[in-house]
Amino acid sequence: MADDIQAASETNPLVSEPGKKVILLIEDDPFLVGIYREKLEIEGYNVLIAEDGLQGLNYAVSQKVDLILLDILIPKLSGIDLLVRLRQDEKGKDVPVIALTNLSGSDDEEKIRSYGVKDYLVKSNYTPGQVVEVIKKYLP
Amino acid sequence: MPVLNLDLLALGIAVAAISILGFIIYFSNRKSVTNRLFLLFTIVSALWGIANYISYKIFDPVFGALSVRLVMFFAVYQAGLFFLLTYIFPQEKYKFSKLVKFIYVPVLFVVSVITLTPLMYSEVIIKEGVTPQPIPAPGMGLFAIVAVSSVIAGLIILIKRLISSKGNARLQFVFLLLGVLMMFGFILVFNFLFTTVFDNSSFVPLSGIFMLPFVFFTFYAISRHELLNVKIIGTEVVTVLLIILSFAEVVLSSSFGEIFFRSGVFIALLVVGILLIRSVIREVRQREQLQLLNKRLEDLDKQKDEFVSMAAHELRSPLTAIKGYVSMIIEGDTGDIPEKARQFLADAMAVTDRLVRLVNNMLNVSRIEEGRIVYQMEETSLIRAIQETYYSFRVEAERKKLDFKLVVPNGLEDNVKVDPDRIREVISNFVSNAIKFTEKGKVNIVMSNPIPGFVKVEVVDTGPGISKEEQSRLFQKFYRAESTSGKTFGTGLGLYITKLLIEKFGGTQGLNSEPDKGSNFWFELPVVKKV
């Protein structure tokens, strides 16, 4: 894992605008990435995108991240495994996470909640605007 | 006194039964090594029984000696085949090792040849009125070593297999062992105990019969391994006992009249017994088949659930994207749009939400039914949950020009313990139905505290109403009400899920409706005191 983190730090994808909160969006559907990024940027956040779990974990532990929007069914490293490893990391263990997924009602949901996610949102039940409202609760 | 020669009759029956069982097994699966060995074993046993009988009934030195030697000759193979049978049972294919092929079998052969010579019994002493007395020779020791070690090895194998096997296979070994123990038990009692302690060798000629338990139980274990069921075995045991008793009566008859009558009873019992066993077997088989089918159904049901779950998940992604784009345009994130376009998009949004609800219902129904759903119970304001739902339906109601209102009295107690997402689904199902079926007039959501401690939500519409007959079926799974235009809507899951959820949250739900006047769907939840 140390190597992964090293590699990620070398290619810092974020041109950070100072003073803005950073949201790490871990999502593999390109359409949804487009929509959420657009909406979040309109709302004044810096958005960091990871399209798979491994990349997401690397960013989460190597970058300054204020909140993570986490899809669960993602390539390379599932959202659940990502949470497990994130919570073991010194830097990543306190980052607020909102699960944003289309999985619902299953045992997985219970498991994910047990890792201390702030909220568990079923994507199709929320518009991007509503997602932002939830984010604002945790990032005043 | 019985009129029949019991000795010979008993032996004849035993030999016939042993051979018949052997051939039945052989012909049921000619390729199986177990079955072939079993046939060999039964043939040797039958021959052994006959030789044994003759050896006690012949009073001629030459033939007497020959017959006792033959008894030992067959006994060698009997012991050898017993060992091999336990060794490979119940396999159909088996390749014997070199040790067996090139050492064990040749040794058996050599010993068996020796048994035919005076090395086994030097002579037979025959005296008037006493059973013939064979005189053992040194070769007897060799025979004893081979035969006894084969039998003991077979027994050890049997017990080992019995311990390490499970279920039906275990029962098979239990049967084999039972047969062996009974066989040895008989031999011990009649051939040993009676001859040595009581000096009574009158049962020895019947030794062929003692093979019967082992042959019978092995036959059973091979032929019925799929039918080792307590009920069937019980029926068979009782039936066979009755038949044996009835047969004994025939044999012990003291006149031909009695033989005739008792034979009639015996045959009747035989026929009824066979019919009885067959019917029990059929019943047990059917039950087993049902269990199998049931298992398959359960598997199918699971597959269906997994499919629905997967399909619903895949449906949600594009729905999320559509909702996202449309909502952002409506919210002005892409700049100003004409009012007409905004209306259209609002409609598109409402329709998309309907689809989202449909997917949610599909996903939820089986999970709720099976208790596999995870509820996030929390204390929450019912007013807030309803307000959110109310707003999400406003566009759809306005489009139909309905009087769509939410009525909340001042000071309403509305703190409830529910899963907020699920309670929104309940309200959504009620409201979406009301809007769908109401062409003009009103759809009102009315909240109240009918009695202290309970909060009630009513969705009142001026739709077509529902007949008494339909009302009773409305909350059933997959039941779909017909609208006045004869069209049906939806999957028939919404109200069913609503009912399951409200019951889960400790509430009640119901419906008051009259055709042509409208409907009033309501639910009631217990109020929780705020901490």
Side-chain angles (χ1 to χ4, degrees):
Chain A
M1 201 171 104
D3 290 344
D4 299 342
I5 295 169
Q6 195 60 40
S9 319
E10 281 166 13
T11 55
N12 186 345
L14 182 68
V15 186
S16 164
E17 285 178 54
K20 284 189 177 179
K21 299 274 188 191
V22 179
I23 290 179
L24 170 58
L25 173 64
I26 307 176
E27 168 67 65
D28 66 323
D29 184 321
F31 289 108
L32 297 185
V33 168
I35 295 164
Y36 290 131
R37 185 219 292 263
E38 183 84 27
K39 188 70 186 177
L40 290 169
E41 283 176 354
I42 289 172
E43 296 290 332
Y45 296 107
N46 270 330
V47 185
L48 190 58
I49 312 275
E51 289 179 359
D52 64 65
L54 222 45
Q55 201 184 19
L57 182 66
N58 291 337
Y59 290 166
V61 298
S62 65
Q63 309 283 326
K64 179 195 166 295
V65 171
D66 295 297
L67 185 137
I68 299 173
L69 283 178
L70 176 65
D71 192 9
I72 301 303
L73 294 179
I74 41 176
K76 291 186 186 171
L77 185 70
S78 84
I80 297 178
D81 293 334
L82 187 151
L83 269 173
V84 174
R85 289 165 73 164
L86 184 71
R87 291 315 186 204
Q88 288 167 354
D89 185 272
E90 195 51 40
K91 203 173 163 200
K93 70 177 196 293
D94 297 322
V95 184
V97 176
I98 295 174
L100 186 59
T101 174
N102 273 328
L103 268 188
S104 74
S106 65
D107 298 342
D108 288 338
E109 179 175 344
E110 188 74 340
K111 211 164 164 187
I112 292 159
R113 284 179 187 272
S114 75
Y115 288 112
V117 296
K118 293 286 181 195
D119 230 319
Y120 186 102
L121 309 181
V122 174
K123 277 188 255 182
S124 61
N125 290 352
Y126 290 82
T127 63
Q130 288 166 331
V131 172
V132 167
E133 277 168 36
V134 176
I135 292 172
K136 280 180 180 161
K137 279 204 287 191
Y138 305 107
L139 278 189
Chain B
M1 266 302 284
V3 289
L4 299 166
N5 181 348
L6 281 186
D7 275 13
L8 196 58
L9 186 70
L11 179 75
I13 290 169
V15 167
I18 288 172
S19 320
I20 289 170
L21 294 179
F23 278 102
I24 290 176
I25 287 298
Y26 174 66
F27 284 113
S28 74
N29 185 0
R30 273 189 264 187
K31 284 180 184 162
S32 159
V33 188
T34 298
N35 295 22
R36 284 179 188 176
L37 273 182
F38 182 71
L39 174 65
L40 279 180
F41 181 83
T42 55
I43 291 172
V44 169
S45 295
L47 292 173
W48 177 83
I50 294 168
N52 193 61
Y53 181 81
I54 291 171
S55 72
Y56 279 86
K57 298 291 175 182
I58 282 187
F59 295 92
D60 175 279
V62 179
F63 283 110
L66 182 64
S67 63
V68 287
R69 286 170 192 155
L70 268 177
V71 170
M72 301 320 272
F73 174 79
F74 291 126
V76 172
Y77 288 107
Q78 232 182 344
L81 285 167
F82 170 74
F83 167 71
L84 293 178
L85 192 59
T86 55
Y87 195 70
I88 60 152
F89 180 87
Q91 296 168 89
E92 293 188 5
K93 281 186 189 158
Y94 193 84
K95 276 220 157 53
F96 288 106
S97 66
K98 283 182 182 155
L99 198 71
V100 170
K101 269 193 209 160
F102 298 116
I103 297 182
Y104 185 66
V105 174
V107 164
L108 284 183
F109 179 73
V110 170
V111 174
S112 75
V113 170
I114 292 172
T115 59
L116 293 176
T117 67
L119 283 171
M120 182 60 58
Y121 288 115
S122 51
E123 56 178 327
V124 178
I125 296 169
I126 293 177
K127 282 183 204 158
E128 201 60 43
V130 187
T131 43
Q133 198 72 53
I135 306 300
M140 184 58 98
L142 194 63
F143 164 83
I145 292 171
V146 172
V148 171
S149 56
S150 294
V151 169
I152 289 176
L155 267 178
I156 291 173
I157 291 172
L158 212 53
I159 292 169
K160 266 190 170 170
R161 297 263 161 87
L162 173 69
I163 292 168
S164 64
S165 58
K166 272 184 198 139
N168 244 357
R170 184 169 204 153
L171 260 179
Q172 281 185 301
F173 287 113
V174 168
F175 268 79
L176 243 64
L177 199 64
L178 217 63
V180 175
L181 292 179
M182 280 173 76
M183 173 174 76
F184 286 135
F186 282 139
I187 291 175
L188 217 65
V189 171
F190 294 110
N191 284 13
F192 184 72
L193 213 65
F194 268 68
T195 50
T196 55
V197 181
F198 303 109
D199 204 19
N200 177 351
S201 60
S202 58
F203 289 104
V204 180
L206 299 177
S207 297
I209 297 173
F210 307 155
M211 305 311 298
L212 257 181
F214 177 67
V215 171
F216 179 73
F217 279 107
T218 310
F219 165 82
Y220 207 96
I222 296 176
S223 66
R224 298 298 190 83
H225 64 92
E226 284 161 359
L227 291 171
L228 292 180
N229 175 286
V230 181
K231 207 171 162 186
I232 296 177
I233 295 168
T235 315
E236 282 171 345
V237 167
V238 170
T239 311
V240 167
L241 279 178
L242 281 174
I243 289 172
I244 289 173
L245 277 177
S246 160
F247 184 73
E249 274 202 332
V250 174
V251 171
L252 298 171
S253 303
S254 47
S255 72
F256 282 101
E258 253 182 30
I259 289 187
F260 183 72
F261 174 72
R262 289 178 180 179
S263 296
V265 174
F266 169 71
I267 289 167
L269 205 59
L270 201 65
V271 172
V272 172
I274 289 170
L275 289 178
L276 178 71
I277 291 172
R278 282 177 55 155
S279 84
V280 171
I281 288 177
R282 199 178 310 137
E283 190 210 307
V284 169
R285 274 216 176 122
Q286 273 172 352
R287 207 180 46 212
E288 282 172 353
Q289 214 154 26
L290 270 181
Q291 281 171 349
L292 201 77
L293 281 176
N294 197 32
K295 173 88 179 53
R296 215 175 294 163
L297 267 182
E298 275 173 15
D299 287 348
L300 262 180
D301 199 48
K302 212 176 145 199
Q303 278 178 14
K304 179 213 72 186
D305 275 1
E306 276 164 15
F307 172 77
V308 168
S309 175
M310 198 262 303
H313 180 260
E314 289 305 312
L315 280 171
R316 273 174 167 177
S317 289
L319 283 173
T320 312
I322 296 170
K323 249 178 103 155
Y325 289 124
V326 174
S327 70
M328 281 169 69
I329 302 173
I330 293 176
E331 286 160 22
D333 291 334
T334 53
D336 286 339
I337 50 165
E339 188 49 34
K340 190 77 179 167
R342 181 187 299 278
Q343 270 181 22
F344 279 6
L345 286 171
D347 286 353
M349 192 70 179
V351 175
T352 311
D353 275 334
R354 193 187 294 170
L355 206 49
V356 169
R357 278 196 302 280
L358 204 85
V359 172
N360 286 349
N361 282 345
M362 264 166 51
L363 257 181
N364 287 341
V365 68
S366 54
R367 285 187 182 150
I368 297 175
E369 277 179 330
E370 289 159 25
R372 284 194 294 121
I373 201 156
V374 181
Y375 294 100
Q376 303 302 324
M377 303 291 276
E378 55 185 73
E379 280 189 29
T380 188
S381 155
L382 191 60
I383 296 176
R384 209 169 69 203
I386 290 185
Q387 261 170 350
E388 283 170 23
T389 316
Y390 170 72
Y391 289 129
S392 72
F393 279 101
R394 245 179 3 184
V395 178
E396 216 174 329
E398 274 169 18
R399 192 95 185 118
K400 291 182 93 167
K401 300 201 162 49
L402 296 173
D403 168 22
F404 186 48
K405 273 193 311 217
L406 171 61
V407 184
V408 182
N410 283 332
L412 183 84
E413 285 186 28
D414 77 325
N415 199 45
V416 287
K417 185 155 188 182
V418 293
D419 180 335
D421 282 343
R422 305 286 168 217
I423 207 71
R424 274 194 284 272
E425 279 171 20
V426 168
I427 303 158
S428 292
N429 278 328
F430 276 181
V431 174
S432 79
N433 275 342
I435 295 178
K436 206 155 59 186
F437 287 101
T438 306
E439 293 308 325
K440 60 179 183 189
K442 67 169 183 185
V443 171
N444 287 355
I445 307 172
V446 183
M447 298 182 72
S448 61
N449 293 120
I451 47 170
F454 286 89
V455 58
K456 187 175 188 177
V457 179
E458 294 168 89
V459 177
V460 188
D461 69 45
T462 52
I466 298 156
S467 68
K468 279 273 174 282
E469 195 215 345
E470 273 202 314
Q471 284 182 29
S472 60
R473 295 156 66 188
L474 217 50
F475 287 92
Q476 287 170 12
K477 192 177 182 180
F478 298 128
Y479 184 77
R480 303 187 306 169
E482 265 187 38
S483 75
T484 41
S485 58
K487 275 190 266 174
T488 52
F489 294 101
T491 52
L493 287 175
L495 288 177
Y496 175 66
I497 289 174
T498 297
K499 178 170 173 267
L500 295 178
L501 286 174
I502 290 293
E503 280 167 6
K504 173 75 196 170
F505 300 145
T508 48
Q509 86 294 313
L511 153 69
N512 308 319
S513 180
E514 260 182 67
D516 301 326
K517 287 196 175 160
S519 306
N520 177 349
F521 282 88
W522 57 266
F523 68 85
E524 225 174 73
L525 289 171
V527 172
V528 184
K529 285 271 169 284
K530 274 183 192 158
V531 185

